[in-house]
Amino acid sequence: MKDRRTFLKQSGILTTSALLYSGTGLSAMAQSEQGTYTHAAQKGSRWLDGSRLVVSVSMQFEAGGQPENAESPFPQNMQKGYKDLPAETWYQYGYREGIPRMLDNWDKLGIKVTSHMVGGAVLKNPELAKEIVQRGHEAAAHGMNWATQYTMPYAEEKKFIGDGVDAIRKITGFNPIGYNANWLRRGENTLKILQELGFLYHIDDLSRDEPFIQKVNGKAFVTVPYTLRCNDIQLIEGKNFSVDQFINQVKMEFDQLYQEAATRRRQMSISFHDRIGGTPQMVQATKELFTYMTNQPGVNFKRKDEIARMALEDKTTITE
Amino acid sequence: MKDRRTFLKQSGILTTSALLYSGTGLSAMAQSEQGTYTHAAQKGSRWLDGSRLVVSVSMQFEAGGQPENAESPFPQNMQKGYKDLPAETWYQYGYREGIPRMLDNWDKLGIKVTSHMVGGAVLKNPELAKEIVQRGHEAAAHGMNWATQYTMPYAEEKKFIGDGVDAIRKITGFNPIGYNANWLRRGENTLKILQELGFLYHIDDLSRDEPFIQKVNGKAFVTVPYTLRCNDIQLIEGKNFSVDQFINQVKMEFDQLYQEAATRRRQMSISFHDRIGGTPQMVQATKELFTYMTNQPGVNFKRKDEIARMALEDKTTITE
Amino acid sequence: MKDRRTFLKQSGILTTSALLYSGTGLSAMAQSEQGTYTHAAQKGSRWLDGSRLVVSVSMQFEAGGQPENAESPFPQNMQKGYKDLPAETWYQYGYREGIPRMLDNWDKLGIKVTSHMVGGAVLKNPELAKEIVQRGHEAAAHGMNWATQYTMPYAEEKKFIGDGVDAIRKITGFNPIGYNANWLRRGENTLKILQELGFLYHIDDLSRDEPFIQKVNGKAFVTVPYTLRCNDIQLIEGKNFSVDQFINQVKMEFDQLYQEAATRRRQMSISFHDRIGGTPQMVQATKELFTYMTNQPGVNFKRKDEIARMALEDKTTITE
Amino acid sequence: MKDRRTFLKQSGILTTSALLYSGTGLSAMAQSEQGTYTHAAQKGSRWLDGSRLVVSVSMQFEAGGQPENAESPFPQNMQKGYKDLPAETWYQYGYREGIPRMLDNWDKLGIKVTSHMVGGAVLKNPELAKEIVQRGHEAAAHGMNWATQYTMPYAEEKKFIGDGVDAIRKITGFNPIGYNANWLRRGENTLKILQELGFLYHIDDLSRDEPFIQKVNGKAFVTVPYTLRCNDIQLIEGKNFSVDQFINQVKMEFDQLYQEAATRRRQMSISFHDRIGGTPQMVQATKELFTYMTNQPGVNFKRKDEIARMALEDKTTITE
C-alpha cells in the first residue's frame, strides 16, 4: 500500500509544513549527559524521508534450528532420555504453515518485514529461507542455533555469530547487517564482534521508541529498538493473551505513537515468531490490525536495514 | 444443519467453479524434500467430497479414568497418604453433567464429533460411552488409563493401547481406528503399534492445517492434525482464558482458515474435554461460535475417521 | 426484587403450564448404578416451589481468621521471623470495606446469600457477623480457622468444626446447618461428623448442577453443589481475570443454565470472598450481572439452607 | 480541570443539599473497638473541600535505582556472574520514555500526581527528578534503593529512609512528607521512624477506601491508602492483563466509588510505574480512562500530600 501522505503531497493537497506540524507540541526536554534522557524534539524533525510513524515488523525464523526438547506449550515434564515428539511437531508448524501464511499476509498488506533467521533453521529449510528474501524481506542474523551467547568467550561468540551469517549468505544470497540475540541476551563483547563482522545494527535494546547510535570501537553502531510489549512471544506464548487482546493492546500502542509522531521521531516495533504469529488466528488478527494502521497517513512499514541506514544518514539521530 | 453449499449447488444457484474459485489465489510454494514444506496448492483441489472447510471437533472422555490425586484446579498441595476428595468431584462433573450437556449441544447444532475415550472412563460409565456412539459420534482410542506411554517397552505399550481398544469395542460395539496419546506424548514405537492394531490414523501432531500421510512399515498411516491453540485444556484450564476469549480466538482462527479454504485444502481442529468444555459457560460459548461457523457455506463438521478415510482415498493428500 | 414469574402468575397472564413447559425437551438419560449418571428429567419437575432457575450466592467471611503470613497478592518471599504487614491490611479490607459493600449491594438487588464464616473471623469482628445475619442472610460454618482438616483425627476434626459453630451461634444467634471446608478439602470423616453435629448439608462437591442426597450413617445428607468456575477466588485471585471477564463468563453460565432450567432442575452457584468480591470493581460488576439475571422470569436467588430443605422435601431429588 | 460541582454551586444551579444528598443512603454501621469496623457515615460528610470523589495517582520513579539483575519480563535464568543487559534496557525505558510520556499526559489531562522516587533513581537522572517537581507534582520518598527494609535494625532503616529523602531534597528542592516501602513491605519500626523524620503520611496499607489516622508515638500519622487492584505492577506486569482489561477494570472501580461518594468520603487509588505505565499503550489507555473520569462532576485528582493534610484538618477522619 502506497504512503497516502506521499500521495497527498504529490497531489499538492497538503503542504509539507501542514503534514509535519499537524500534531500538538511536546514539551522540550533537556538532554542529560550520556544520552540517558530523551533528545529534545525539534519542530518538524521527524524522519529523514518524511515518514510520520515508522513501523518495524519482525518475522523470526527459528523453527528447525531449535535444540532437542526445546520449550513448548506442552507440560515440561519429559523424562530423561526421551524426545518430545509432539513438541517437535509444534515447531514444524512454524515452517510448514506459519511462515508461508505470514508471507502471504505481508503481500496482501503490501509491507516488507525483517526476518531474523537462526542458522540451523535456514539450513533445515533452505527453500523457505530463500523465498523470504525473494519476496522482498530482509534476512537478518539470529545466531547459528539457540545457544546462550553471553557466556561465550570472544572467539567462540564470533564464530557462533559468523556461522549463522554464512548460512544466510550462502543459502539466500542476502548479506545480513542486523542482529538479534536469543531472548536479546547479548554479552559484553557482542556489539564489538558485530561491528567487526560488518553489522550495521542490532535490536537487543528496549530503551527507546526511536533508533539511536552508540560508539563501538569509535565507530557508529545503530540500535533499532525492540519491544516485548508488542511481541507474540511474550503476549501470546508467554503471558497468555488471546489474540483479540493482542489486537487491542497493539492498537493502543499505535494510536499513542501515531499522535506523538506528529512532532517527533517515533518508531513502533512489533514482533512475530514462526510458530506463534503464523497461526490462522494470529494472522487474521494481524491483518485486521495492520489494515487499520496502514490506513493512517504517514505510516510507513520499513525493514530494519532501511531504518538503520536512515538513522546513520540523519545527523539528528540520538547519539550516546 | 444441511450444507448450504450443497443446497446452493443442487439449486443450481452457484456453479461448482464459482464455489471452488471464490477466494484469492495463494502463492505457489515449492516442496522441499521429505515433505517438510507445504504442498503446492493446486487450483480447485480442496476436499474430495467438495467441502470448502472441514472442521474436526474432539470431545475427550477421560473422567473416571484418571489416576488418584490427578491434577485439578485445586491447589496442588495434598499431603501424602490422603485422597483429594474435591478434585474427584471435579472429575465426576465430566460424566455427570459435562458429556451429557455437550451431546445435547451437538444435536442442537446438527454436528458429529470424535470422542477419544480412556478405557478406564468407558468401564466406569458404560452407559454414557454407549450413548455417545448411539448418538452418531465416533469412539476413538485414548489409552487404557493416563499412564505415560512413551517410556513403555514395545509389548507393554501394545497391551496398554489394546486394552483401551477392547474396552471401547466391548462396551460400545464401535471399533476405534483413531488414536490420541495422553498430552500427545507418543513414543518411537507408537505409530508402528497403532498400525499393527489396525488403526488408520492418529492425531498427535500439530504440524499442519490439513491431514497428511506417512509411511509406517511401508504402509500409509494418516495424521489428522490437532491443535492446542483451539483446545479447552490449554485455553481454559491451562492458560486461563475466560470463555469469551475462547470464542474470540477460535472465531478468528475460523475466519482465516475459511478464507484460505477457498483455494486449498484446510482443516480446523477444536478440542473439548469432558469436565472443561462441558460446563454451562463453555457450552453456551461453543453454541454461539458454532452457530456462526455452520452458517458459512461449505463448512462441514466431520468425524476424524471420515477425514482419515477421505485423506487415504485422495491421491493429492500430502505424503511424507 | 419480586419474582416476575410470581407476578405474572398472580396476574393470570401466564398459566403454570406455560411457565413450566416453555423450554425445549432434553433427551432422557438413563441412570447408572450408584447415581453416577444424571437422573432422568421428568417433564415439569423443576423445583418444588416452582422456581425455574435457582441461584445460590456465597459471601465468604474469612478475613480476620487467617493465619499469620497467609497467602496474598504480595510476593511470597517474606523472610522467616517477620510479619507480612501489608498482607494483613489486604485482609483487613475484607471486613472494613468488602463485606459492608457487598451487604449494601445485596439489599439494592433484593437478594439473600449464604455467608460461610470462619470462627476466628466472627470473633474478631462480632458486630459485622451479627449484621450479616440481621440483614437476612444465612450464617453457615467454615471451620474455626484455616487449618487443614482432612488430616485431623476424628475427635480433633469434630472439635474444629464445633468450635466454629459455637462462635457463630454465640455471636449471631444463628444456628449453622451448612458447611464449607477450606478449599473444599474435607476428609473421610467429615460428612459423618457434620451429620452428628446436626448439619443438613455441605457444599464441598463440584459434581453436579443441582442438589443431591447421599446416605450418611443411613440418614439423608444434602450436597448443595459449588463451583470454582464462577468463584472469585479462582477467577479473580487465582486465574487472574479482569472483572469484565468475570461478568462475561458468569453471564454465559447463566444463559445456558437458564435455558436448561426450562425443563429440568438447575442450580447456579456463584461465590465471593470478603477481600476479593467486595472491592468496588467487583461489586460494580456483580451489580450489572445480577441486575441482568434478576430480570429474567423464574430466577430465584436462595440461601443454601432453603435449597437444602427444599431438596430434602422433594422426593425427586437425586439420591445416590 | 475545574471542579464542575464548584462551578454549579457558584452558578446557583444546584443547592449544596442537592449536591450532597444526591445518592442513595448507606446503612449506618456500628464502629467496633479499635476502629476495625468502618466509621459511621454522616450525612453530607464527604471531603472538607467539597470534593465528591478524590482520586490519587502515583507515578513511581524507580528505574535507574534498581539492583543488578533486578526482575524483569525476561526469563529469570541468568547465569551467575553475568549482567542482564537487555533487562537494564527495559529499566532505561522508564526514564528515557516512560516518565516523560506520562508527564505530558498529566499536563494534557490537567492533573497532578504523587511520584514516589527511589533515591538511586533520583541521583541517576537528576534533571528528570527536577522536572517532575517543576511541573507541579509531589515528590515522595521510596527508600534509597530497593533493599528490603523490614529486616533492617532501627538505625539502619532510619539511615536508609533518610538517604532517600536527602537525595530528593538536594536534587529537586522538594521536601518529601510521604513514604512508600518497596512492595509496601514496612517493618515494625517504620512508622515511628517516618514520624521522627518529619513525614506526615505513608501509603503502605490496603485496608480502606479513605484516609485514616493512627497514633504513632502519641501523635497523629496519616495513611493515604493504596491498592494493588488498580496498580500497573500487579495488573500489567504481575497478572498479565492487556491494557484494555486495565481500562475496563479501573473504570468499574471508578463507577462504584463515584456512586458511593455521593454520601460518604471515598478515595480512589491508581498506581503507575515508570517502565510499565509509561508505555505508549498504557498512556493511551490511561488517557481514555482519565478523560472519562475527569468528566464526572465532583471528581478531583489530588496529590497525596494534599489528601494527607486535608485528612489531618478534618475532625471526622477515621482515627484508630
Side-chain angles (χ1 to χ4, degrees):
Chain A
M1 171 171 282
K2 195 203 253 259
D3 173 7
R4 196 178 296 182
R5 193 165 154 285
T6 305
F7 167 78
L8 293 172
K9 252 179 80 175
Q10 288 171 343
S11 324
I13 293 170
L14 292 171
T15 68
T16 308
S17 318
L19 288 166
L20 288 173
Y21 306 124
S22 50
T24 58
L26 265 178
S27 61
M29 288 172 285
Q31 179 174 7
S32 66
E33 66 176 24
Q34 305 235 310
T36 53
Y37 201 47
T38 309
H39 198 272
Q42 292 158 309
K43 230 190 177 96
S45 76
R46 286 187 303 185
W47 293 90
L48 206 60
D49 70 346
S51 297
R52 171 163 171 161
L53 176 66
V54 163
V55 182
S56 167
V57 174
S58 307
M59 177 181 69
Q60 309 309 48
F61 182 23
E62 305 171 337
Q66 81 278 358
E68 197 168 281
N69 291 12
E71 62 171 16
S72 74
F74 290 92
Q76 296 299 291
N77 59 4
M78 285 297 295
Q79 286 191 40
K80 230 167 132 61
Y82 294 91
K83 288 214 296 185
D84 195 346
L85 294 177
E88 282 183 21
T89 72
W90 181 68
Y91 278 96
Q92 287 171 356
Y93 190 91
Y95 49 80
R96 288 181 177 190
E97 299 278 0
I99 299 270
R101 177 174 289 115
M102 285 194 277
L103 286 174
D104 285 341
N105 206 21
W106 308 145
D107 283 350
K108 185 168 293 183
L109 292 160
I111 67 175
K112 303 300 175 199
V113 308
T114 297
S115 182
H116 284 90
M117 307 181 177
V118 170
V122 170
L123 295 180
K124 172 102 181 157
N125 283 288
E127 290 304 317
L128 184 56
K130 233 190 297 185
E131 181 173 352
I132 292 172
V133 168
Q134 281 166 353
R135 290 172 77 165
H137 308 291
E138 171 194 7
H142 199 13
M144 185 57 204
N145 50 51
W146 288 31
T148 301
Q149 69 184 90
Y150 67 85
T151 55
M152 292 179 187
Y154 198 94
E156 185 186 345
E157 190 182 6
K158 192 163 184 175
K159 180 179 193 318
F160 171 76
I161 298 176
D163 286 348
V165 168
D166 289 345
I168 294 171
R169 223 187 256 135
K170 189 175 126 204
I171 299 289
T172 71
F174 194 103
N175 181 42
I177 58 155
Y179 194 75
N180 173 214
N182 184 15
W183 265 106
L184 285 72
R185 287 266 167 76
R186 60 187 152 106
E188 302 285 348
N189 297 323
T190 309
L191 297 191
K192 293 196 222 89
I193 291 171
L194 290 175
Q195 191 159 74
E196 286 166 23
L197 290 174
F199 283 83
L200 248 53
Y201 77 88
H202 82 127
I203 72 169
D204 298 327
D205 190 306
L206 307 182
S207 71
R208 294 186 193 274
D209 294 316
E210 58 185 287
F212 59 96
I213 291 170
Q214 291 169 284
K215 295 293 190 191
V216 174
N217 290 334
K219 271 181 59 191
F221 194 78
V222 181
T223 298
V224 179
Y226 203 48
T227 70
L228 293 180
R229 64 187 187 259
C230 298
N231 191 322
D232 69 4
I233 209 156
Q234 176 124 109
L235 269 45
I236 304 295
E237 268 314 296
K239 295 209 170 191
N240 307 329
F241 285 9
S242 49
V243 295
D244 53 315
Q245 285 179 286
F246 177 87
I247 294 177
N248 295 341
Q249 177 148 316
V250 180
K251 182 183 177 298
M252 279 196 201
E253 174 96 359
F254 171 82
D255 286 343
Q256 178 66 25
L257 285 175
Y258 186 74
Q259 287 176 60
E260 293 178 13
T263 55
R264 59 182 296 212
R265 183 171 306 138
R266 298 283 77 183
Q267 177 205 305
M268 188 174 175
S269 179
I270 309 169
S271 183
F272 303 99
H273 294 71
D274 43 39
R275 59 216 176 274
I276 306 168
T279 62
Q281 53 201 220
M282 274 297 290
V283 163
Q284 176 68 27
T286 304
K287 182 168 33 183
E288 292 179 19
L289 180 63
F290 284 11
T291 298
Y292 168 77
M293 289 167 57
T294 51
N295 277 336
Q296 314 303 319
V299 174
N300 278 327
F301 285 72
K302 287 188 174 299
R303 294 165 21 170
K304 295 184 206 285
D305 55 350
E306 301 174 310
I307 296 172
R309 290 198 166 101
M310 185 159 57
L312 279 168
E313 207 190 315
D314 188 336
K315 294 184 182 2
T316 67
T317 299
I318 289 174
T319 304
E320 298 181 1
Chain B
M1 172 168 281
K2 194 202 254 259
D3 175 5
R4 195 179 294 184
R5 194 165 153 283
T6 305
F7 167 78
L8 293 171
K9 252 179 79 175
Q10 290 170 344
S11 324
I13 293 171
L14 291 171
T15 69
T16 308
S17 317
L19 287 166
L20 287 172
Y21 305 125
S22 50
T24 58
L26 264 177
S27 60
M29 287 170 287
Q31 181 172 4
S32 64
E33 67 177 23
Q34 307 232 312
T36 54
Y37 201 48
T38 310
H39 198 271
Q42 292 159 308
K43 234 193 176 96
S45 75
R46 286 188 302 187
W47 294 91
L48 206 61
D49 71 347
S51 299
R52 172 163 169 160
L53 175 67
V54 162
V55 182
S56 167
V57 174
S58 308
M59 178 180 70
Q60 309 309 48
F61 182 22
E62 305 172 336
Q66 81 278 358
E68 196 168 281
N69 291 11
E71 63 172 16
S72 74
F74 288 92
Q76 295 297 292
N77 59 5
M78 285 297 295
Q79 287 192 39
K80 230 167 130 62
Y82 294 91
K83 288 214 296 184
D84 195 345
L85 294 175
E88 282 183 20
T89 72
W90 181 69
Y91 278 96
Q92 287 170 356
Y93 190 91
Y95 49 81
R96 289 181 176 188
E97 300 278 1
I99 299 271
R101 177 175 288 115
M102 284 193 278
L103 286 174
D104 285 340
N105 206 22
W106 308 145
D107 283 349
K108 184 167 294 184
L109 292 160
I111 67 175
K112 301 301 174 198
V113 309
T114 296
S115 182
H116 284 90
M117 307 181 176
V118 170
V122 171
L123 296 180
K124 172 103 180 156
N125 283 287
E127 291 304 318
L128 184 56
K130 234 190 295 186
E131 181 173 352
I132 293 172
V133 168
Q134 282 166 352
R135 291 171 77 165
H137 307 292
E138 171 195 7
H142 200 12
M144 186 58 204
N145 51 50
W146 288 33
T148 300
Q149 70 183 91
Y150 68 84
T151 54
M152 293 178 187
Y154 198 94
E156 186 186 343
E157 190 182 5
K158 192 162 184 174
K159 181 180 194 318
F160 172 76
I161 298 175
D163 286 348
V165 168
D166 289 343
I168 294 171
R169 223 187 255 135
K170 187 175 128 207
I171 298 290
T172 72
F174 194 104
N175 181 43
I177 57 153
Y179 194 75
N180 173 213
N182 183 15
W183 265 106
L184 286 71
R185 286 265 168 76
R186 61 187 153 106
E188 303 285 347
N189 297 324
T190 310
L191 298 190
K192 293 196 221 89
I193 291 169
L194 291 174
Q195 191 159 75
E196 285 166 23
L197 290 173
F199 282 82
L200 248 54
Y201 76 89
H202 83 127
I203 73 168
D204 299 327
D205 190 306
L206 307 183
S207 71
R208 293 187 193 275
D209 294 317
E210 58 184 286
F212 57 96
I213 292 169
Q214 290 169 285
K215 294 291 190 192
V216 175
N217 291 333
K219 272 180 58 190
F221 194 78
V222 182
T223 298
V224 179
Y226 202 49
T227 71
L228 293 180
R229 64 186 188 260
C230 298
N231 190 322
D232 70 2
I233 210 157
Q234 176 123 109
L235 269 46
I236 303 296
E237 268 314 298
K239 293 209 171 190
N240 308 328
F241 284 10
S242 50
V243 294
D244 53 316
Q245 285 179 285
F246 176 86
I247 293 177
N248 295 341
Q249 177 149 314
V250 180
K251 183 183 176 298
M252 278 197 203
E253 174 96 359
F254 171 82
D255 286 343
Q256 178 66 25
L257 285 176
Y258 186 74
Q259 286 175 59
E260 292 178 15
T263 53
R264 58 183 295 213
R265 181 171 308 135
R266 298 284 75 184
Q267 177 206 306
M268 189 174 174
S269 179
I270 309 169
S271 183
F272 304 99
H273 294 70
D274 44 39
R275 60 214 175 276
I276 306 167
T279 61
Q281 51 201 221
M282 274 298 288
V283 163
Q284 176 68 26
T286 303
K287 183 168 33 182
E288 292 180 18
L289 181 62
F290 283 12
T291 298
Y292 168 77
M293 289 167 55
T294 51
N295 277 336
Q296 313 303 320
V299 174
N300 278 327
F301 283 72
K302 287 185 174 300
R303 293 166 21 171
K304 295 185 206 284
D305 55 349
E306 300 174 310
I307 297 172
R309 291 198 165 100
M310 186 160 54
L312 278 169
E313 207 192 314
D314 188 335
K315 293 184 181 3
T316 68
T317 300
I318 290 173
T319 305
E320 297 182 3
Chain C
M1 171 169 283
K2 196 202 254 260
D3 175 7
R4 196 177 296 183
R5 195 168 151 281
T6 305
F7 167 78
L8 293 170
K9 251 180 80 176
Q10 289 170 345
S11 322
I13 292 170
L14 291 171
T15 69
T16 307
S17 317
L19 287 167
L20 287 172
Y21 306 124
S22 52
T24 57
L26 265 176
S27 62
M29 287 171 284
Q31 182 172 4
S32 65
E33 69 177 22
Q34 307 233 310
T36 53
Y37 202 46
T38 310
H39 197 272
Q42 293 158 308
K43 232 197 177 91
S45 77
R46 286 187 302 185
W47 294 90
L48 205 61
D49 71 347
S51 298
R52 171 163 171 162
L53 174 67
V54 162
V55 182
S56 167
V57 174
S58 308
M59 177 180 70
Q60 308 310 47
F61 181 22
E62 306 172 335
Q66 81 278 358
E68 196 169 281
N69 289 12
E71 62 170 19
S72 74
F74 288 93
Q76 296 298 290
N77 60 4
M78 284 299 293
Q79 288 194 38
K80 232 169 130 62
Y82 294 92
K83 289 215 294 185
D84 195 345
L85 295 175
E88 282 183 20
T89 71
W90 182 69
Y91 278 97
Q92 287 171 353
Y93 189 91
Y95 49 81
R96 289 181 175 188
E97 300 277 1
I99 299 272
R101 179 175 288 117
M102 284 194 278
L103 286 174
D104 286 340
N105 206 22
W106 308 144
D107 284 349
K108 185 168 293 186
L109 292 159
I111 67 175
K112 301 302 175 198
V113 308
T114 296
S115 182
H116 284 91
M117 306 180 177
V118 170
V122 171
L123 295 179
K124 172 103 180 158
N125 283 287
E127 291 303 318
L128 184 57
K130 233 190 297 185
E131 180 173 351
I132 292 172
V133 167
Q134 282 167 349
R135 290 170 79 164
H137 308 291
E138 171 196 6
H142 200 11
M144 186 57 204
N145 50 51
W146 288 33
T148 300
Q149 69 184 91
Y150 69 84
T151 55
M152 292 178 187
Y154 198 92
E156 186 186 343
E157 190 182 6
K158 191 163 185 174
K159 180 181 195 316
F160 172 76
I161 297 175
D163 286 349
V165 169
D166 289 344
I168 293 170
R169 224 188 255 134
K170 186 175 128 207
I171 300 289
T172 72
F174 194 104
N175 180 43
I177 59 154
Y179 194 75
N180 171 214
N182 183 15
W183 267 106
L184 285 70
R185 287 266 168 76
R186 61 187 152 106
E188 303 286 347
N189 296 323
T190 309
L191 298 191
K192 294 197 220 88
I193 291 169
L194 290 174
Q195 190 159 75
E196 286 166 21
L197 289 174
F199 281 82
L200 248 54
Y201 76 88
H202 83 126
I203 73 168
D204 298 328
D205 190 306
L206 307 183
S207 71
R208 294 187 192 277
D209 293 316
E210 59 184 285
F212 58 97
I213 291 170
Q214 292 168 281
K215 294 293 191 192
V216 174
N217 291 333
K219 272 181 57 190
F221 194 79
V222 182
T223 298
V224 180
Y226 204 48
T227 71
L228 293 180
R229 63 184 189 261
C230 296
N231 190 323
D232 71 2
I233 209 158
Q234 174 122 111
L235 268 46
I236 303 297
E237 267 313 298
K239 291 210 171 190
N240 307 328
F241 284 10
S242 50
V243 295
D244 53 316
Q245 286 180 285
F246 177 86
I247 294 177
N248 295 341
Q249 177 148 315
V250 179
K251 182 183 177 298
M252 277 197 204
E253 174 95 359
F254 171 82
D255 286 343
Q256 177 66 26
L257 284 176
Y258 186 74
Q259 287 175 61
E260 292 177 15
T263 53
R264 57 183 296 214
R265 181 170 309 137
R266 298 283 76 184
Q267 177 206 304
M268 188 174 176
S269 179
I270 309 171
S271 182
F272 304 99
H273 294 71
D274 45 38
R275 59 213 177 276
I276 305 168
T279 61
Q281 52 200 222
M282 274 298 287
V283 164
Q284 175 69 24
T286 302
K287 183 167 35 182
E288 291 180 19
L289 180 62
F290 283 12
T291 299
Y292 168 77
M293 289 166 58
T294 51
N295 277 336
Q296 313 302 321
V299 173
N300 279 325
F301 284 71
K302 288 185 175 302
R303 293 168 18 172
K304 295 185 207 284
D305 55 349
E306 300 173 311
I307 297 172
R309 292 198 164 99
M310 186 160 54
L312 279 169
E313 205 192 315
D314 188 335
K315 293 181 182 5
T316 68
T317 300
I318 290 175
T319 305
E320 297 182 2
Chain D
M1 173 170 283
K2 197 205 253 259
D3 174 6
R4 197 178 296 183
R5 194 167 152 283
T6 306
F7 167 78
L8 293 171
K9 251 179 81 177
Q10 288 171 347
S11 322
I13 293 170
L14 291 170
T15 69
T16 308
S17 320
L19 288 167
L20 288 172
Y21 305 126
S22 51
T24 57
L26 268 175
S27 61
M29 289 172 282
Q31 181 173 5
S32 65
E33 68 176 23
Q34 305 233 310
T36 52
Y37 200 48
T38 309
H39 197 274
Q42 293 157 308
K43 234 193 177 97
S45 76
R46 287 187 302 184
W47 293 91
L48 205 61
D49 70 346
S51 297
R52 172 165 170 160
L53 175 68
V54 163
V55 182
S56 168
V57 174
S58 307
M59 176 180 70
Q60 310 309 48
F61 181 22
E62 305 172 337
Q66 81 277 0
E68 198 169 280
N69 290 12
E71 61 169 19
S72 74
F74 289 93
Q76 296 299 291
N77 60 4
M78 284 298 294
Q79 288 193 38
K80 230 167 133 61
Y82 294 92
K83 289 214 294 185
D84 194 345
L85 294 176
E88 281 183 20
T89 71
W90 182 68
Y91 278 97
Q92 286 170 356
Y93 189 90
Y95 50 80
R96 288 181 177 190
E97 300 278 0
I99 299 271
R101 178 174 288 115
M102 284 194 277
L103 286 174
D104 285 342
N105 206 22
W106 309 144
D107 284 349
K108 185 168 293 185
L109 292 160
I111 69 176
K112 301 302 176 198
V113 307
T114 296
S115 181
H116 284 91
M117 306 181 177
V118 170
V122 171
L123 296 180
K124 172 102 181 157
N125 282 288
E127 291 304 318
L128 184 55
K130 233 189 297 184
E131 180 173 354
I132 291 171
V133 167
Q134 282 167 352
R135 289 170 79 165
H137 307 291
E138 171 195 8
H142 200 10
M144 186 57 203
N145 50 52
W146 288 31
T148 300
Q149 69 184 90
Y150 69 85
T151 55
M152 291 178 188
Y154 198 93
E156 185 185 343
E157 190 182 6
K158 191 163 186 175
K159 179 179 195 316
F160 171 76
I161 297 176
D163 286 349
V165 169
D166 288 345
I168 294 171
R169 224 187 255 134
K170 189 175 125 205
I171 299 289
T172 72
F174 195 102
N175 181 43
I177 59 155
Y179 194 75
N180 171 215
N182 184 15
W183 266 107
L184 285 72
R185 287 266 166 75
R186 60 188 152 107
E188 303 287 347
N189 296 323
T190 309
L191 297 191
K192 294 199 220 86
I193 290 170
L194 289 175
Q195 190 159 75
E196 286 167 22
L197 289 174
F199 283 83
L200 249 53
Y201 76 88
H202 82 127
I203 72 170
D204 298 328
D205 190 306
L206 306 183
S207 71
R208 294 187 192 274
D209 293 315
E210 59 185 285
F212 58 96
I213 291 169
Q214 292 168 283
K215 295 292 191 194
V216 175
N217 290 333
K219 272 181 60 191
F221 194 78
V222 182
T223 298
V224 180
Y226 204 48
T227 70
L228 293 180
R229 63 185 188 260
C230 297
N231 191 323
D232 69 4
I233 210 157
Q234 174 122 111
L235 269 45
I236 303 296
E237 267 314 296
K239 293 209 172 190
N240 307 329
F241 285 9
S242 49
V243 294
D244 54 315
Q245 285 180 284
F246 177 86
I247 294 178
N248 294 341
Q249 176 147 316
V250 180
K251 181 182 178 299
M252 278 197 203
E253 173 96 359
F254 171 83
D255 287 343
Q256 177 67 24
L257 285 175
Y258 186 75
Q259 286 177 60
E260 293 177 14
T263 54
R264 58 182 298 213
R265 182 171 307 137
R266 298 283 76 183
Q267 176 205 306
M268 187 174 176
S269 179
I270 308 170
S271 182
F272 303 99
H273 294 71
D274 43 39
R275 58 214 177 276
I276 305 167
T279 61
Q281 53 200 220
M282 274 298 287
V283 163
Q284 175 68 26
T286 303
K287 182 167 35 182
E288 291 180 19
L289 180 62
F290 283 12
T291 299
Y292 168 77
M293 289 166 58
T294 51
N295 277 337
Q296 313 303 319
V299 173
N300 278 326
F301 284 72
K302 287 186 176 301
R303 295 167 18 172
K304 295 183 205 286
D305 54 350
E306 300 173 311
I307 296 172
R309 292 198 165 100
M310 185 158 58
L312 278 168
E313 206 190 315
D314 188 336
K315 294 183 180 8
T316 66
T317 299
I318 290 174
T319 304
E320 297 181 1

